[in-house]
Amino acid sequence: MNLSEVKDNLKSQGYKLTNQRKAILDVLMDYKGHVLSAEEIYEKTKERYSKTNVSTIYRNLEILENVNLVHRINMNGEASKYKLVCNDKHHHHIICKDCGKSQIIDFCPLKTINDEFKDEEFVLTDHRFELYGYCKECVKKKNEQG
Ligand SMILES: [Zn+2]
Ligand SMILES: [Zn+2]
Ligand SMILES: [Zn+2]
Protein backbone atom coordinates (compact mmCIF):
# COMPACT_ATOMS: atom_id res chain seq x y z
CA MET A 1 0.00 0.00 0.00
CA ASN A 2 1.27 3.47 -0.78
CA LEU A 3 0.46 6.49 1.35
CA SER A 4 -2.60 7.60 -0.58
CA GLU A 5 -4.01 4.07 -0.51
CA VAL A 6 -3.49 3.98 3.25
CA LYS A 7 -5.26 7.32 3.62
CA ASP A 8 -8.14 6.24 1.36
CA ASN A 9 -8.44 3.00 3.29
CA LEU A 10 -8.72 4.90 6.58
CA LYS A 11 -11.41 7.17 5.18
CA SER A 12 -13.33 4.26 3.69
CA GLN A 13 -13.49 2.74 7.18
CA GLY A 14 -15.18 5.89 8.42
CA TYR A 15 -12.25 7.73 10.00
CA LYS A 16 -11.39 11.34 9.28
CA LEU A 17 -7.92 12.05 8.03
CA THR A 18 -7.01 14.62 10.67
CA ASN A 19 -3.72 16.55 10.50
CA GLN A 20 -2.51 14.46 13.39
CA ARG A 21 -3.29 11.15 11.66
CA LYS A 22 -1.77 12.46 8.44
CA ALA A 23 1.43 13.33 10.30
CA ILE A 24 1.57 9.91 11.99
CA LEU A 25 1.05 8.13 8.66
CA ASP A 26 3.73 10.28 7.02
CA VAL A 27 6.18 9.30 9.75
CA LEU A 28 5.30 5.61 9.48
CA MET A 29 5.70 5.78 5.72
CA ASP A 30 9.15 7.37 6.09
CA TYR A 31 10.18 4.44 8.28
CA LYS A 32 8.37 1.80 6.27
CA GLY A 33 10.97 -0.92 6.78
CA HIS A 34 11.44 -0.23 10.50
CA VAL A 35 9.49 -0.65 13.69
CA LEU A 36 9.18 2.46 15.88
CA SER A 37 8.17 2.85 19.50
CA ALA A 38 5.20 5.11 20.31
CA GLU A 39 7.72 7.50 21.85
CA GLU A 40 9.73 7.65 18.63
CA ILE A 41 6.56 8.15 16.61
CA TYR A 42 5.60 10.97 18.96
CA GLU A 43 8.97 12.73 18.58
CA LYS A 44 8.90 12.47 14.80
CA THR A 45 5.24 13.40 14.48
CA LYS A 46 5.85 16.50 16.60
CA GLU A 47 8.32 17.75 14.00
CA ARG A 48 5.49 17.76 11.45
CA TYR A 49 2.56 18.62 13.63
CA SER A 50 3.54 20.48 16.77
CA LYS A 51 0.11 20.29 18.44
CA THR A 52 0.39 16.57 19.08
CA ASN A 53 0.81 14.81 22.44
CA VAL A 54 1.67 11.31 23.59
CA SER A 55 -1.82 10.22 24.57
CA THR A 56 -3.33 11.16 21.19
CA ILE A 57 -0.49 9.29 19.52
CA TYR A 58 -1.39 6.17 21.51
CA ARG A 59 -5.09 6.58 20.76
CA ASN A 60 -4.47 7.00 17.04
CA LEU A 61 -2.06 4.08 16.90
CA GLU A 62 -4.74 1.95 18.49
CA ILE A 63 -7.28 3.08 15.88
CA LEU A 64 -4.82 2.44 13.06
CA GLU A 65 -4.13 -1.00 14.48
CA ASN A 66 -7.85 -1.79 14.73
CA VAL A 67 -8.45 -0.88 11.09
CA ASN A 68 -5.47 -3.04 10.08
CA LEU A 69 -3.26 -0.26 8.79
CA VAL A 70 -0.61 -0.56 11.47
CA HIS A 71 1.11 -3.59 12.97
CA ARG A 72 1.74 -3.54 16.69
CA ILE A 73 4.73 -5.70 17.37
CA ASN A 74 5.55 -7.22 20.74
CA MET A 75 9.11 -6.63 21.79
CA ASN A 76 10.22 -9.08 24.50
CA GLY A 77 9.89 -7.20 27.76
CA GLU A 78 9.84 -3.80 26.08
CA ALA A 79 7.07 -1.47 24.99
CA SER A 80 5.38 -2.49 21.75
CA LYS A 81 6.62 -1.09 18.47
CA TYR A 82 4.65 -0.10 15.43
CA LYS A 83 4.94 -0.07 11.68
CA LEU A 84 2.70 0.39 8.68
CA VAL A 85 1.21 -2.88 7.49
CA CYS A 86 3.37 -4.54 4.85
CA ASN A 87 0.66 -6.27 2.83
CA ASP A 88 -2.78 -7.76 3.20
CA LYS A 89 -1.63 -11.36 3.34
CA HIS A 90 -1.00 -13.12 6.64
CA HIS A 91 2.70 -12.80 7.42
CA HIS A 92 5.31 -12.45 10.14
CA HIS A 93 8.41 -10.34 10.72
CA ILE A 94 12.03 -10.58 11.65
CA ILE A 95 13.11 -7.53 13.62
CA CYS A 96 16.49 -6.04 14.49
CA LYS A 97 16.68 -5.46 18.25
CA ASP A 98 19.10 -2.56 17.78
CA CYS A 99 17.78 -0.38 14.97
CA GLY A 100 14.27 -1.78 14.50
CA LYS A 101 14.80 -2.73 10.87
CA SER A 102 12.21 -5.30 9.86
CA GLN A 103 11.80 -7.84 7.13
CA ILE A 104 8.74 -9.83 6.07
CA ILE A 105 8.47 -13.57 6.54
CA ASP A 106 5.79 -14.23 3.99
CA PHE A 107 4.95 -17.77 4.94
CA CYS A 108 3.41 -18.95 8.18
CA PRO A 109 5.64 -21.20 10.30
CA LEU A 110 2.71 -21.90 12.61
CA LYS A 111 0.42 -23.29 9.96
CA THR A 112 0.99 -26.90 11.07
CA ILE A 113 0.03 -26.02 14.64
CA ASN A 114 -3.13 -24.34 13.38
CA ASP A 115 -4.00 -27.48 11.43
CA GLU A 116 -3.31 -29.66 14.51
CA PHE A 117 -5.95 -27.81 16.49
CA LYS A 118 -8.65 -28.09 13.88
CA ASP A 119 -10.71 -30.73 15.67
CA GLU A 120 -9.85 -29.72 19.22
CA GLU A 121 -11.82 -27.82 21.81
CA PHE A 122 -10.44 -24.50 20.72
CA VAL A 123 -11.20 -22.58 17.60
CA LEU A 124 -8.05 -20.71 16.71
CA THR A 125 -8.60 -17.25 15.36
CA ASP A 126 -5.18 -15.65 15.25
CA HIS A 127 -1.63 -15.76 16.53
CA ARG A 128 1.44 -13.63 16.86
CA PHE A 129 4.91 -14.73 16.04
CA GLU A 130 7.94 -12.56 15.41
CA LEU A 131 11.62 -13.33 15.13
CA TYR A 132 14.22 -11.09 16.73
CA GLY A 133 17.88 -10.64 16.03
CA TYR A 134 20.39 -8.15 14.66
CA CYS A 135 20.53 -6.92 11.09
CA LYS A 136 23.73 -7.15 9.07
CA GLU A 137 24.66 -3.49 9.66
CA CYS A 138 24.16 -3.77 13.41
CA VAL A 139 26.24 -6.95 13.58
CA LYS A 140 28.98 -5.11 11.69
CA LYS A 141 28.80 -2.17 14.08
CA LYS A 142 29.02 -4.50 17.07
CA ASN A 143 32.08 -6.25 15.64
CA GLU A 144 33.80 -2.95 14.92
CA GLN A 145 33.22 -1.82 18.49
CA GLY A 146 34.90 -5.02 19.61
ZN1 LIG B 1 4.09 -6.72 8.20
ZN1 LIG C 1 19.87 -3.25 12.91
ZN1 LIG D 1 1.20 -17.09 10.94
Side-chain angles (χ1 to χ4, degrees), residues 69-85:
L69 289 173
V70 160
H71 288 308
R72 185 162 58 86
I73 289 166
N74 268 346
M75 301 296 289
N76 295 331
E78 278 177 61
S80 301
K81 296 204 176 183
Y82 302 84
K83 77 181 295 303
L84 267 193
V85 289

Side-chain angles (χ1 to χ4, degrees), residues 90-92 107-111 114 127 129:
H90 178 80
H91 65 274
H92 297 275
F107 65 95
C108 183
L110 297 179
K111 209 179 164 307
N114 274 9
H127 61 253
F129 168 76

Side-chain angles (χ1 to χ4, degrees), residues 1 5 12 21 23 26 52 62 75 92 100 105 118 125 127 139:
M1 263 191 275
E5 283 169 333
S12 74
R21 283 174 193 156
D26 285 343
T52 193
E62 204 183 306
M75 301 296 289
H92 297 275
I105 304 165
K118 259 188 188 137
T125 55
H127 61 253
V139 168

Side-chain angles (χ1 to χ4, degrees), residues 12 30 42 51 116:
S12 74
D30 276 359
Y42 166 62
K51 278 183 274 182
E116 286 288 311

Side-chain angles (χ1 to χ4, degrees), residues 84-127:
L84 267 193
V85 289
C86 316
N87 59 44
D88 296 342
K89 252 179 58 201
H90 178 80
H91 65 274
H92 297 275
H93 305 100
I94 180 157
I95 298 138
C96 177
K97 290 192 283 184
D98 264 3
C99 69
K101 187 175 178 173
S102 81
Q103 206 174 305
I104 297 186
I105 304 165
D106 60 4
F107 65 95
C108 183
L110 297 179
K111 209 179 164 307
T112 8
I113 299 179
N114 274 9
D115 293 343
E116 286 288 311
F117 277 96
K118 259 188 188 137
D119 305 313
E120 302 291 328
E121 288 182 34
F122 278 93
V123 176
L124 291 191
T125 55
D126 52 64
H127 61 253

